[in-house]
Amino acid sequence: MRLAAGTAAAAPLLYPIPAAARTASTSSTATPLAGTPAHVPSTAAPAAVPATWAVHPFPLDQVTLGDGVFRRKRDLMLDYARAYPADRILAVFRANAGLDTRGARPPGGWETADGNLRGHYGGHFLTLVSQAYADTREAALKTKLDQLVAALGECQQALAEHGSPKPSHPGYLAAYPETQFILLESYTTYPTIWAPYYTCHKIMRGLLDAYTLAGNAQALAIASKMGDWVHSRLGRLPKAQLERMWSIYIAGEYGGMNEVLADLHALTGRAEHLAAARCFDNTSLLEACAGDRDILEGRHANQHIPQFTGYVRLFDHTGDEKYAAAARNFWHMVAGPRTYSLGGTGQGEMFRARNAIAATLGDNNAETCATYNMLKLSRQLFFHEPDPAYMDHYERGLTNHILASRRDAASTVSPEVTYFVGMGPGVVREYDNTGTCCGGTGMENHTKYQDSVYFRSADGNAVYVNLYLASTLRLPERGLVIEQASSYPAEGVRTLTFREGGGTLDLKLRVPSWATAGFTVAVNGVRQQAQAMPGSYLTLSRNWRRGDRVTASAPYRLRVERALDDPTVQSLFHGPVLLVARSRETAFRQFSFYRDFTLRGDLADAVRPEGRPQHFTTHGLTLAPFHIADDAAYHAYFRRTEPVVVFGASDSGVANRARGDGLTFLDVLWEQAPFATSARFVDAVRAVADVWLSEGLFTRSERDRVVAAAGAANLRR
């Protein structure tokens, strides 16, 4: 066994097509459109994986979720996918094409008969049903998906033949006339028009998912024609005009058009589709990020995040390093300096100043769409630069935002997901979001949990375990079945068992950055001797046999994370799990912990188990895992107040002053814990007190009183 620090794995934008989907494509009930381009294959085939990718993903149907909260959340969304009427999704498309709506009402929200974003929700719904089918192989879901695709094909054909007004190109497909796209070219602003290319992206993405995940060949034909239409509109426009269009707030929002067109190009080989993708270069922001100049403040977060996933895909196809550098730098501008403790970003949909966390807490933080797209970007950057930090970010956002975004209640009429997730004191999550952007991405979020649990190396000789979710991985080409037993996100030992097959294989286990209490691994009960560093991968190289068991243990610790702009504003975690205080008060709750510390310097001295798993109490309040999605008011951040230097019952009477970076005397002292003996503790107090004296933060008298209080303290271990 060897330690593989900094080694990671990533998944592609287009899922490799499961064998069942390829079979399904040849027997699809959908009828290809007349005049399907000759370059579109009649059966589904995955896009080629770029040679630069170090790792490849597994298709959704090769990884199945085991029992646990992730599967329960997924099952809630599967019920919605099964029950929601296809005719309601199609109503706005049929009406625009002059076809019979069959008496169906549009879903509502932004998806109304006259809404300027209508059609976007249908694209998301295509992805939802495609993912659900890829996961479950349920025939009824395939039937629904084929019905949706066939109806969209009818709409595209009706618009081309009888549209009023008639579109400029027969590939046009939308739920409203081409007017919005025409108006954008003359720089019309929101709300006169709403993000027409954003809506186009959702429809095209849903169609490509129907093809790549479920083998519906007609979906690719429809999307290919849409790509031709995009090229016909944008390929003739001057670059300066395009750049001005994409700079317009909301009206110029185009989602991941560059990404989906690059993916389309990978499937069709059409040069026009790649050229159309490059029409979406948002040049001023692209150039700034490529040069590592942070100009994000005041920009619409979700308008720009998916642009960078597209740049990664354009790098794959063009080799232009500018695209890759911009995406990497952008990720670092968001993932640390603009990310709240749950893994989300933004206030009121906007990027705020760098490091402005405490200053921006309210009831409108962390748009769920933005996290959806940041996780996609994290995975794609992983393809080229396998930095475990990307997967740390992915795990944080998945566990504490996405998992928390689906209400823990059944519904077949609403996706029951969040839009904003407030981080201010005493806020309440609001659900539903039928027809909104976050309602659309929310449908997708909960039917693809397994897509990043495992990856494989490009040569097939290694399997990466990225997430510790209960699941089963099947590798039919190697005859392997690996089952992971886990109670994640609850604490516990994770066990990987080789249920079938064997052979030489590197098993790469992710060591999360939060695993500071240790990470131990045993094979068939024998502990392996290796030092696992948090934020790395640990590699087990072995000739595996059926029945072999690998157990991994990473004990959870209580820990705080400080806001970058105010270290006294903090969040509390138990391992990877964000804990929130249940309280309706609308001002920060004030917590003090240090006076309860023993020599071990552990928050467990001050935060006590409540009796239920992962529930705690402190200062008279219940702390609960944030992924429990209910209507209770909560505090994700609290105000840390440690006004006086106190060691247990020994009070020095000296103010606990902070140095320039905001860390107090007690902060710096207790970062050195645990202390083996009282003498070691007193030595540490003396050393830090001398620093505070030298920096003018203590007087000589105060320094002596602090050291004396430490000597008088009786801190048990």
Side-chain angles (χ1 to χ4, degrees):
M1 183 172 66
R2 64 187 182 277
L3 183 67
T7 305
L13 305 177
L14 295 178
Y15 299 99
I17 297 176
R22 290 194 292 271
T23 301
S25 70
T26 62
S27 59
S28 170
T29 59
T31 302
L33 288 175
T36 297
H39 60 272
V40 177
S42 60
T43 58
V49 176
T52 54
W53 288 6
V55 293
H56 298 180
F58 292 103
L60 284 179
D61 68 345
Q62 284 186 226
V63 183
T64 56
L65 292 176
D67 289 336
V69 63
F70 287 91
R71 192 163 83 175
R72 290 194 294 273
K73 299 267 192 177
R74 181 210 64 179
D75 288 349
L76 291 171
M77 198 59 75
L78 286 179
D79 288 343
Y80 176 76
R82 295 179 183 112
Y84 201 81
D87 284 340
R88 293 195 66 183
I89 295 294
L90 294 166
V92 291
F93 290 95
R94 285 170 168 158
N96 183 56
L99 301 176
D100 183 4
T101 63
R102 306 183 184 185
R105 293 179 296 108
W110 302 344
E111 193 78 2
T112 60
D114 59 353
N116 275 350
L117 211 66
R118 62 189 185 272
H120 80 108
Y121 200 68
H124 288 295
F125 196 81
L126 280 173
T127 296
L128 165 66
V129 180
S130 299
Q131 291 177 173
Y133 173 69
D135 187 8
T136 66
R137 319 315 294 170
E138 291 180 15
L141 289 169
K142 183 64 166 68
T143 298
K144 176 176 278 190
L145 183 64
D146 289 345
Q147 175 189 351
L148 288 161
V149 172
L152 290 175
E154 292 169 0
C155 291
Q156 188 181 51
Q157 188 163 338
L159 286 168
E161 295 176 355
H162 312 294
S164 180
K166 200 169 184 178
S168 63
H169 185 282
Y172 181 73
L173 174 63
Y176 43 70
E178 203 172 3
T179 311
Q180 284 209 52
F181 298 92
I182 297 170
L183 289 172
L184 177 61
E185 291 171 13
S186 61
Y187 316 125
T188 303
T189 58
Y190 168 84
T192 302
I193 63 172
W194 274 40
Y197 281 102
Y198 173 95
T199 304
C200 182
H201 165 244
K202 303 311 173 190
I203 299 167
M204 291 187 69
R205 178 82 270 164
L207 288 165
L208 286 196
D209 287 340
Y211 174 68
T212 60
L213 295 175
N216 186 301
Q218 186 187 8
L220 178 59
I222 298 169
S224 181
K225 288 185 175 183
M226 291 182 71
D228 294 343
W229 166 79
V230 174
H231 183 259
S232 75
R233 282 219 71 88
L234 301 183
R236 59 182 174 80
L237 299 182
K239 188 174 181 61
Q241 183 177 1
L242 292 170
E243 292 173 0
R244 183 173 171 184
M245 287 161 56
W246 309 144
S247 69
I248 302 172
Y249 171 71
I250 291 187
E253 182 175 0
Y254 59 73
M257 278 300 299
N258 49 1
E259 173 200 11
V260 77
L261 284 163
D263 289 349
L264 180 64
H265 165 72
L267 291 165
T268 66
R270 294 285 305 280
E272 293 89 343
H273 295 157
L274 184 60
R278 301 194 77 167
C279 288
F280 290 91
D281 283 5
N282 189 358
T283 304
S284 62
L285 182 60
L286 173 63
E287 297 286 353
C289 288
D292 203 16
R293 290 183 288 109
D294 188 337
I295 60 171
L296 298 186
E297 183 177 359
R299 294 179 183 264
H300 188 283
N302 201 51
Q303 180 168 346
H304 296 99
I305 298 170
Q307 295 176 5
F308 290 86
T309 64
Y311 295 148
V312 176
R313 290 297 282 143
L314 283 170
F315 169 74
D316 288 335
H317 289 291
T318 68
D320 188 340
E321 175 59 28
K322 175 180 65 179
Y323 289 126
R328 287 193 303 267
N329 293 337
F330 173 84
W331 187 90
H332 285 285
M333 293 172 191
V334 178
R338 291 182 171 89
T339 297
Y340 301 105
S341 54
L342 85 165
T345 188
Q347 181 195 38
E349 298 193 359
M350 310 300 286
F351 283 129
R352 298 306 179 191
R354 194 179 180 95
N355 299 334
I357 301 299
T360 59
L361 300 177
D363 61 0
N364 61 345
N365 302 117
E367 183 185 5
T368 305
C369 274
T371 298
Y372 162 92
N373 279 308
M374 278 300 295
L375 298 192
K376 285 185 66 175
L377 178 59
S378 299
R379 295 172 73 237
Q380 293 175 39
L381 288 170
F382 228 20
F383 304 168
H384 310 89
E385 182 187 4
D387 185 341
Y390 293 134
M391 193 52 68
D392 279 334
H393 182 80
Y394 192 96
E395 180 189 56
R396 176 190 293 262
L398 183 73
T399 303
N400 297 301
H401 191 169
I402 300 305
L403 191 62
S405 69
R406 178 46 169 91
R407 188 202 296 269
D408 294 326
S411 175
T412 56
V413 297
S414 166
E416 291 291 348
V417 292
T418 56
Y419 195 111
F420 294 122
V421 179
M423 291 281 98
V427 299
V428 176
R429 270 172 283 183
E430 296 180 357
Y431 306 92
D432 179 29
N433 283 296
T434 298
T436 70
C437 56
C438 290
T441 54
M443 292 190 294
E444 300 179 31
N445 281 329
H446 308 284
T447 49
K448 61 173 183 175
Y449 284 131
Q450 72 267 42
D451 71 354
S452 297
V453 177
Y454 309 100
F455 300 125
R456 67 176 179 86
S457 60
D459 61 11
N461 292 328
V463 168
Y464 294 77
V465 182
N466 303 311
L467 300 170
Y468 293 98
L469 278 59
S471 54
T472 299
L473 169 65
R474 293 173 175 83
L475 294 81
E477 70 277 11
R478 293 185 62 124
L480 277 174
V481 176
I482 303 174
E483 180 183 58
Q484 181 175 182
S486 169
S487 58
Y488 186 90
E491 187 176 12
V493 175
R494 323 305 184 193
T495 302
L496 293 140
T497 304
F498 285 74
R499 294 296 186 192
E500 296 180 18
T504 302
L505 183 74
D506 287 350
L507 195 65
K508 296 178 177 291
L509 306 176
R510 177 171 159 265
V511 185
S513 61
W514 51 261
T516 57
F519 186 91
T520 59
V521 177
V523 177
N524 297 328
V526 179
R527 181 168 175 173
Q528 305 299 296
Q529 298 301 313
Q531 184 180 5
M533 298 296 295
S536 69
Y537 276 75
L538 188 69
T539 301
L540 295 173
S541 300
R542 185 180 175 91
N543 187 5
W544 301 95
R545 298 177 180 176
R546 181 176 180 177
D548 280 347
R549 289 185 305 108
V550 177
T551 56
S553 176
Y556 288 7
R557 293 184 65 179
L558 291 163
R559 59 188 174 86
V560 296
E561 289 190 0
R562 302 178 176 95
L564 297 172
D565 51 338
D566 185 349
T568 69
V569 176
Q570 302 179 357
S571 285
L572 190 63
F573 283 79
H574 187 226
V577 177
L578 175 64
L579 300 176
V580 292
R582 297 294 179 88
S583 170
R584 291 194 172 276
E585 290 191 23
T586 56
F588 282 120
R589 297 304 300 259
Q590 296 192 346
F591 291 172
S592 300
F593 297 135
Y594 287 139
R595 67 174 57 248
D596 295 318
F597 273 21
T598 65
L599 291 178
R600 65 178 183 167
D602 197 319
L603 280 167
D605 294 327
V607 180
R608 306 291 187 180
E610 186 242 30
R612 290 175 288 171
Q614 292 189 284
H615 285 70
F616 300 84
T617 60
T618 190
H619 297 76
L621 298 175
T622 295
L623 303 174
F626 191 47
H627 61 73
I628 297 175
D630 54 23
D631 300 310
Y634 60 87
H635 291 233
Y637 285 88
F638 57 89
R639 177 77 67 184
R640 185 73 173 271
T641 175
E642 308 281 0
V644 180
V645 177
V646 177
F647 310 116
S650 183
D651 188 343
S652 71
V654 175
N656 180 35
R657 299 188 185 95
R659 63 189 186 190
D661 62 2
L663 295 183
T664 69
F665 173 86
L666 289 174
D667 291 333
V668 175
L669 170 68
W670 286 110
E671 282 179 352
Q672 302 175 46
F675 301 103
T677 64
S678 294
R680 296 263 181 98
F681 169 71
V682 173
D683 288 343
V685 170
R686 182 179 294 108
V688 178
D690 286 342
V691 172
W692 251 239
L693 174 63
S694 67
E695 295 181 359
L697 297 172
F698 283 169
T699 65
R700 170 63 66 178
S701 172
E702 288 173 332
R703 178 264 183 205
D704 293 343
R705 285 155 55 195
V706 166
V707 174
N714 182 20
L715 304 185
R716 67 191 186 286
R717 278 196 60 79

